[in-house]
Amino acid sequence: MFKPKRVIFEKGTLDTDIGKNIYNKVKNNPNIEIINTSSNKIKSNIPGNNLYEQYRSGKETLVVGFRKGLKFQTCKPSANYQLPLVSGCMGRCEYCYLNTQLGDKPFVKVFVNTDDILKKAKQYIDERLPAITIFEGAATSDPVPLEPYTNSLKQTIEFFGKEEKGRFRFVTKYNDVDSLLDLNHNNHTEIRFSINTPRIISTHEHHTASADKRIEAAIKLSQAGYKIGFIIAPVFLYENWQDEYRELIKSIKEKLPKDFNEQIIFEVISHRYTTKAKNRILEIFPETTLPMEDEDRKFKYGQFGYGKYVYTKEQLAQMKDFFLLEIKNVFPNSIIKYVI
Ligand code: SF4
C-alpha cells in the first residue's frame, strides 16, 4: 500500500467519496503533509533542487484529482484502450518505462470521478459492438497499491463483470488484492503479475512487493476465479541467470495448492533500453548496476524514430529456448504468449 509523504487535493475532490475516504485515511497521520490547492500548479508543491531529489519527492506525493479529458488512449497490441484510473506509480524500479514519461516530478495521481470514466468505457464498448473491447488498467501506472485508498479497481471489476462485451486487464508488482477477492468479476478481468528473480527485485525494483508476496497474491486471485498470468520481465542475462529463473518458475509451482489446475498465462520480455532512458536512469539512480553497456548489445531501430539496445540475436534465441522448455516442464498446461 502506498504511504505518501504529502497528499495534494485538487479543488472539489474533498466533496467526492474517494476524496473523503483518502482524507479520512491520512488526516491524523503526523507524517503526511496535506495540501489543498485550487490551482493546477501541482508541481510547485513538490520540493527538489535537482532531478535526483525531484524524482524522490514526486514518488512520495499523492495527488487527488479529476480526470478531465475523457478520451481514452489506444493500447495496442494487448488491448483496445487504456483505462485511466490512476497515473504514475509509487514503485522505484530503475528500469521503469515511466521514468521518461512522467516528467521531472513523477507524482502518483488518482482520479475521483470513476463513474465518469466507466461511463466513457461503456460508450467505447457500445461503439465496437458486437466485438469485444478490452481495456488495460495499468498502461501508465500500477493501480494496485492505491486500491486501499480508492476502491477504483473494485468498482471497475464489478462494472466489467456486468458488461457482456467488455474486458478488463491490468498488471502489477504489488499484493493489495484482498478487497478484490469476493467480487462478481464474471471472468471478465485478467490480472497479471510482473515478476523477476529475488536478486533482480532486491537490486533494481525498489519499493515493490517481494516475489513471494506477488505469487501469494496471484494464487489468492486465481482461487477467487480470476484469470491470472505472470510476466517475467525484464529478463537479464547475468551470471547464473538460468539457475535463478529456473528457481523462480519452480517457486511459483511450489506455492500453488497441490490440486491447482488452472491455466496460467506467461509472457517473457528481455531487457532493453533507449539512450534517453539510460541517461535519465543514470541521473536518478547514479549508483545503478543495471547492465547498460551499449557495446554488449545490438542496436535495433524502432518504429518511432529512436532505437533501442537489445540482447544479441544469439542471446535472445538461447533465452527463448530456455523459457519455453522450463515453463512447459513445470506448467505443461500453461499458455506462453511470447518470449521476446
Ligand atoms: Fe514502473 Fe511497474 Fe516499477 Fe511502478 S512497479 S515503478 S510502473 S516498473
Side-chain angles (χ1 to χ4, degrees), residues 35 65 220 222 236 265:
I35 301 166
K220 281 196 230 170
S222 177
F236 291 96
I265 302 164

Side-chain angles (χ1 to χ4, degrees), residues 59 89 91-93 95-98 141-142 173-174 208:
K59 289 281 184 180
C89 173
R92 302 186 196 179
C93 303
Y95 56 75
C96 177
Y97 70 105
L98 292 179
S141 68
D142 190 319
K173 285 186 170 75
Y174 293 90
T208 61

Side-chain angles (χ1 to χ4, degrees), residues 8 17 56 62 101 107 129 132 148 210 221 241 265 320:
I8 303 177
D17 288 348
R56 282 155 183 80
L62 173 61
Q101 308 290 315
F107 54 82
L129 287 175
I132 284 180
S210 66
L221 288 165
W241 67 271
I265 302 164
K320 190 166 186 171

Side-chain angles (χ1 to χ4, degrees), residues 171-197:
V171 57
T172 185
K173 285 186 170 75
Y174 293 90
N175 60 328
D176 308 279
V177 299
D178 288 353
S179 59
L180 311 181
L181 299 179
D182 297 326
L183 309 184
N184 283 328
H185 57 78
N186 199 15
N187 259 321
H188 289 179
T189 293
E190 177 186 312
I191 304 173
R192 288 118 65 227
F193 285 81
S194 165
I195 198 152
N196 222 312
T197 64

